[in-house]
Amino acid sequence: MRDRTVQRVSPGLLVDIHVNRESNMPAIYSYVVAHDSGFAPNPFNNFCTLATCKPKIRKHASIGDWIVGTGSDKKGIRRGGFLVHAMRVEETLTFSEYWNDPRFTSKKPNLFGSYRMASGDNIYCPDGDGWIQMNSYHSNKDGTPRADHIQKDTSVDRVLISHDFVYFGAEGPEIPDHLKARGLVHSGRGERKIFDIAAITAFEAWLNVLGVRGYQGKPFDMLEIARKRGAQ
């Protein structure tokens, strides 16, 4: 075991917390889900996938690591400190592998279908040395490809896959104080990487106490659409 305590902020806005690190222990990547739409991550059709946004997490997360998203505290949302999702990385694929894998055909977007179909994140079709971006949440409003999203998303050719996940969306529980005290809730941009064995163990124990896995709650944007329709 290597004991050390370090907290730093790198130029890439990644905060590392190392306490009692063992090489075979998983890490937790914590970040704020600024746009909880069901697109990134996509919790539908029995898998939670992170195929767009968060390139640093997609690049560095290892099999067994936890990706934890907490709510935004922006005006109109006010879900800071609440759990949106937690997914244990079980598999990684390239965009080409993701596109061609029949398990994830249902994650190819259809903006004219149901909410789940519209929020599909399997949006990059291989095209020679490049990509065709499907009409999706990362396209322009008229359906044409959006260059900035293509550049950021495909800068890391890696999709994170999880069957061991829980997704609450805008209906999740608040993170307990004892986990907040261990740095589990990140704030602002970027992400926090936690190696603290005690923090990871406590987080996993809390998840088990919740007693649920899989898709449990609707994304914030989905609830907002329903609310606005009901107000009409």
Side-chain angles (χ1 to χ4, degrees):
M1 180 182 294
R2 181 176 59 191
D3 294 347
R4 59 184 180 132
T5 302
V6 178
Q7 184 166 340
R8 62 179 176 80
V9 179
S10 71
L13 297 176
L14 182 106
V15 180
D16 288 355
I17 299 178
H18 305 250
V19 181
N20 297 334
R21 166 69 167 161
E22 288 189 4
S23 59
N24 61 344
M25 285 294 294
I28 292 176
Y29 289 84
S30 175
Y31 73 101
V32 175
V33 182
H35 304 285
D36 178 25
S37 64
F39 176 70
N42 182 293
F44 302 122
N45 303 302
N46 301 315
F47 289 92
C48 192
T49 51
L50 189 60
T52 63
C53 304
K54 311 312 295 183
K56 290 179 181 175
I57 292 179
R58 288 191 289 115
K59 180 178 180 179
H60 295 293
S62 299
I63 301 297
D65 286 349
W66 285 100
I67 315 300
V68 176
T70 58
S72 170
D73 207 31
K74 290 182 179 179
K75 183 178 180 180
I77 300 178
R78 298 306 187 197
R79 295 288 297 171
F82 287 80
L83 182 64
V84 175
H85 76 94
M87 57 181 286
R88 187 196 293 272
V89 180
E90 296 181 302
E91 184 180 0
T92 66
L93 298 175
T94 65
F95 284 124
S96 180
E97 290 169 338
Y98 190 47
W99 178 264
N100 289 299
D101 193 318
R103 293 176 299 168
F104 305 113
T105 299
S106 59
K107 286 181 179 275
K108 294 177 180 178
N110 177 2
L111 294 183
F112 302 100
S114 67
Y115 188 95
R116 291 189 181 202
M117 295 168 69
S119 59
D121 68 347
N122 194 350
I123 66 173
Y124 290 109
C125 173
D127 180 39
D129 294 331
W131 308 98
I132 297 174
Q133 184 190 63
M134 307 303 291
N135 188 6
S136 65
Y137 285 176
H138 265 193
S139 305
N140 292 311
K141 290 183 178 180
D142 63 1
T144 57
R146 184 168 165 176
D148 59 336
H149 281 317
I150 295 173
Q151 181 178 3
K152 182 176 182 180
D153 292 342
T154 63
S155 65
V156 176
D157 188 6
R158 196 166 185 249
V159 179
L160 306 183
I161 312 290
S162 177
H163 192 66
D164 181 12
F165 73 94
V166 62
Y167 178 91
F168 290 106
E171 303 175 291
E174 187 171 8
I175 304 291
D177 288 341
H178 72 280
L179 293 178
K180 290 180 180 178
R182 291 188 175 276
L184 192 74
V185 177
H186 186 53
S187 62
R189 297 170 55 208
E191 49 273 320
R192 171 175 291 162
K193 186 176 183 180
I194 301 170
F195 293 110
D196 182 357
I197 295 173
I200 296 166
T201 301
F203 170 71
E204 291 178 337
W206 177 63
L207 274 189
N208 289 334
V209 168
L210 292 178
V212 292
R213 285 291 197 273
Y215 180 81
Q216 297 295 326
K218 296 179 176 65
F220 180 87
D221 288 0
M222 190 177 185
L223 291 177
E224 278 294 285
I225 290 172
R227 182 185 66 80
K228 291 176 180 178
R229 285 176 177 171
Q232 292 178 351

